[in-house]
Each structure stands twice: as structure tokens, then as C-alpha cells.
Amino acid sequence: MNEESRKANYNNDEIDLRELFAAIGRFFNRIGRSFLNLIVSIKNASKKYVLIILISGLLGLLGGSSVKFLFDPYYESSMLLRSVHLNLELMENAVDKLDQLSFERSHDELARVLNINEDKAKQIRSFSVEAFVSEEQIIELETLKESLKSDIKDEKKLELLMEQVKMEKQDIFKITVQTYDAVLLNDFTEPLSLYLKNKPYVQKRLEIENKNRLSKKNKIARDRQKLDSLKAVLFQNISKFSDKRREGSNNVILSESFFVNPLSVFKEDLDLLEQEQEIDEELYLNPDFEVIDEFTQYTRPASPGLIENAFYGLLYGLGVAYLIIFLLSFNTYLKDFEAKR
């Protein structure tokens, strides 16, 4: 009896699997038929309303072509800027204000904010900013992610942590400007960088950091002067010890128990010199806020050309045509449905 029950259950399982695969087959079959019916419907509608398609496509083609002549061409260029005090959110807020002024055509206010004349402000079309991630940063983040996978099993928590680390490490930004005058881009790097640098939030931090650097440099200079005096004394005493002259004199002599290793003094002086040179380099380069790559003037406009405008206009016209066809077909369906009721 048990053997017969097992055979019956086996047959039932086999039947269930067959029904499952048959249902899946019917599902995909219905999808395929629906897709073919849709294509056939579009084909028949295209034949039936070919006049609407031709007229709408022609109007779209003409409209797209006319855009080239109705609007002035614009040029686009980008600059790379590093700021350790501005994150992406603060940078977007600062640049969006400029973009809003250019969108509202507030030329006088835009000229005042950027400290440029109003004629140049009139030529500006838009501003935008995005984070710039170098290949070195990508490799560093991927390496960090792989090392954290063994400790953090939750993928969502890991991704959230990596986004936070990415935001903290992000200090290079790509600022894009669109203008109607390409020549303007040649002299636009300085006004835009000064606008961001002179923000009170940034300016205060740059001032205190430079002040700290200068203070540290002055201390290093004083310490090096003391080391120079110490080196002179060491030379004097080494000379005394080598001559074996220990008679009393007016010279300063260090006892052997307190004798200083001259190499350590010279090494300390060299370390201080390297620190001083690093500070001079930071004061000159100002790595906390610097322009990495300036705007470049391009002769080719970034705005779409005649062929591109015509193509997009044609696509727009065809889209409108098929929208009209859909509405007409749907209206016919509603009339038939109402008549049957």
C-alpha cells in the first residue's frame, strides 16, 4: 500500500511539473502573440493614417530645422577646481545661484556677483557642477570596499558607508559653463574661482590655515637658528677633544657624558629644512583651494547642429502623429463599446 502511495505521489509531482512548464509556455506564447498583434496594429494604423504621419513628420522636420536659425548657438567648456572646504552639496548650492541668475536673465546682479561687466554677463547661458572622480580615487575606493567586505556582510550598509567615504574624499569638482560668446571663456576662470574662494565660509578657513603655516614656518626658522648655534659649539668642542687640550680657557667645552651626536643634530636640521620647504610649497600652491584646469575656448558650438535638430524634430513629429492615431483609435473603440452596450 505504501509503495502504491509513493508511485501516486511521484506521478502527481510529475504532472504538476508538466502543468507548470505548460503554463510558463502559454504565458510566453501570449506575450509573443500580443507583441505581434501590437506590431500588426501599428502597421495597419500607419497605412490607415499615413497622411497624418506624413504631415506631422514634415512639420516636426521643419520645426527642428528652424530651431537652428531661431536660437543663437552656444559654447561649452569646463574647469577643474579643488577645494578641501567645499563638499559637493555646498558647491552645488553656490553654482546653482549663478545658474538661477543666468536663467532669470538678471545680468546686472550676475555681473555684480562675479565682478564682471554686464555685457559679459549677458553672454552667459548656464552653470552646472559635478563631482570629478579620478582613476586613482576609484581604485582606492574599490580597494577599501574589498577590504571591508569581510567585516561588513550587509551590502546596503557597505554601500552607504562607501558613499559617505566618497563624499568625504571628494575635493575636486568639474564646473561647466555655457556661453553665447566663446571668447568669454578665455577670461572666465579667475572671476568664477574668486567668487567661490571669497565665500566667507571658505575665506575664513583659508586665512587661518595660512596664518598657522606662517606661524609654524617662523618657529622652524628660529629652531634652525638655535641648531646652527649648537652646531658651532659642537664643532668647537670636537676640535678641542681632538687636540687633547683640556686646559682652562674662555671656550665652551661639553663634558663627555653630555656629548651630543653631531649626526643627530644635522639630521634634525635637515628635517626642519624639509618641513620649511613643504610649508613654502603649500603657501605658493595653496592646495586647499586651487584651479587644476582652466576653461578652454572652443570654436565648435556645443548646441545641436542643423542635422541633429532636424532629426530630433522628425522624431518629435512622428511621436505626436502616433499619439494622435492612438487617441483616434481609442475614441473609435469607445464608440464601438458604447454601441454594443
Side-chain angles (χ1 to χ4, degrees):
M1 184 67 180
N2 292 334
E3 185 67 25
E4 293 179 357
S5 299
R6 284 196 296 271
K7 288 182 179 180
N9 291 333
Y10 178 79
N11 292 333
N12 290 334
D13 293 340
E14 185 178 0
I15 292 172
D16 291 339
L17 288 176
R18 288 177 181 176
E19 291 180 354
L20 176 62
F21 286 117
I24 294 174
R26 288 193 298 270
F27 173 74
F28 284 105
N29 187 32
R30 285 195 298 268
I31 292 178
R33 289 180 178 275
S34 299
F35 181 71
L36 291 176
N37 289 333
L38 177 62
I39 294 177
V40 172
S41 300
I42 294 175
K43 177 184 176 182
N44 294 334
S46 300
K47 289 181 178 180
K48 183 177 180 181
Y49 300 102
V50 63
L51 186 60
I52 294 178
I53 295 174
L54 290 176
I55 294 175
S56 182
L58 181 61
L59 292 175
L61 185 65
L62 294 175
S65 302
S66 63
V67 170
K68 172 69 177 177
F69 305 100
L70 293 176
F71 298 96
D72 295 331
Y74 59 86
Y75 303 84
E76 182 178 287
S77 185
S78 302
M79 67 176 287
L80 293 181
L81 184 141
R82 174 187 284 119
S83 175
V84 298
H85 302 300
L86 289 174
N87 55 29
L88 183 59
E89 185 177 354
L90 294 175
M91 184 67 78
E92 285 178 343
N93 181 61
V95 175
D96 284 346
K97 290 180 179 178
L98 298 178
D99 186 60
Q100 188 65 25
L101 290 175
S102 63
F103 177 76
E104 294 177 352
R105 315 303 293 172
S106 301
H107 302 133
D108 53 343
E109 181 64 17
L110 184 61
R112 185 192 66 80
V113 170
L114 293 176
N115 195 23
I116 58 177
N117 60 59
E118 191 170 343
D119 291 335
K120 290 184 177 181
K122 290 179 180 178
Q123 301 299 322
I124 299 174
R125 183 174 184 268
S126 67
F127 295 86
S128 62
V129 63
E130 60 181 334
F132 181 84
V133 183
S134 63
E135 294 183 1
E136 182 180 352
Q137 289 176 320
I138 295 175
I139 296 174
E140 184 180 351
L141 289 172
E142 288 297 326
T143 304
L144 178 62
K145 183 177 180 180
E146 291 297 326
S147 63
L148 291 175
K149 279 185 177 180
S150 58
D151 298 326
I152 303 177
K153 302 301 182 182
D154 192 340
E155 189 69 23
K156 291 183 178 179
K157 289 184 179 179
L158 180 59
E159 291 296 334
L160 185 62
L161 177 61
M162 292 308 300
E163 285 296 327
Q164 185 177 357
V165 173
K166 183 178 178 181
M167 290 292 294
E168 292 177 354
K169 288 181 171 290
Q170 185 59 59
D171 59 353
I172 302 178
F173 308 95
K174 180 180 179 182
I175 305 175
T176 303
V177 175
Q178 292 181 349
T179 175
Y180 297 108
D181 184 7
V183 180
L184 174 65
L185 296 170
N186 288 331
D187 304 322
F188 201 64
T189 300
E190 184 176 359
L192 185 56
S193 60
L194 287 177
Y195 161 74
L196 297 170
K197 186 176 182 179
N198 291 334
K199 291 286 184 183
Y201 176 83
V202 178
Q203 191 175 24
K204 290 179 181 179
R205 283 155 178 79
L206 293 177
E207 288 178 356
I208 191 62
E209 286 180 353
N210 287 334
K211 183 179 179 181
N212 291 337
R213 288 190 180 105
L214 289 173
S215 177
K216 185 177 181 181
K217 179 183 176 181
N218 293 332
K219 184 180 184 307
I220 290 174
R222 293 192 298 269
D223 291 343
R224 291 192 63 212
Q225 289 179 353
K226 295 177 182 178
L227 286 176
D228 288 338
S229 300
L230 179 59
K231 286 188 292 184
V233 173
L234 288 173
F235 273 120
Q236 185 179 13
N237 283 277
I238 290 173
S239 177
K240 291 293 182 180
F241 281 123
S242 63
D243 294 339
K244 305 293 184 179
R245 297 175 181 176
R246 299 181 179 273
E247 292 82 9
S249 65
N250 294 327
N251 296 324
V252 179
I253 301 176
L254 297 178
S255 64
E256 295 182 5
S257 59
F258 295 98
F259 189 78
V260 179
N261 185 359
L263 295 179
S264 63
V265 176
F266 281 96
K267 184 178 182 302
E268 181 66 22
D269 186 39
L270 183 60
D271 291 340
L272 291 176
L273 176 61
E274 291 178 353
Q275 293 181 31
E276 187 175 8
Q277 290 174 342
E278 289 177 358
I279 294 175
D280 288 335
E281 182 180 352
E282 291 176 354
L283 290 172
Y284 178 75
L285 297 178
N286 197 5
D288 299 325
F289 190 98
E290 62 176 334
V291 176
I292 300 175
D293 190 18
E294 299 182 352
F295 288 110
T296 303
Q297 177 185 346
Y298 297 104
T299 57
R300 183 177 180 179
S303 53
L306 178 61
I307 297 177
E308 189 175 357
N309 282 327
F311 176 74
Y312 287 122
L314 178 61
L315 291 181
Y316 181 79
L318 293 177
V320 172
Y322 279 101
L323 178 61
I324 294 173
I325 292 172
F326 171 77
L327 294 176
L328 292 175
S329 301
F330 187 68
N331 185 53
T332 303
Y333 172 78
L334 291 178
K335 288 181 178 180
D336 293 341
F337 180 77
E338 186 178 3
K340 291 179 181 178
R341 292 188 62 184

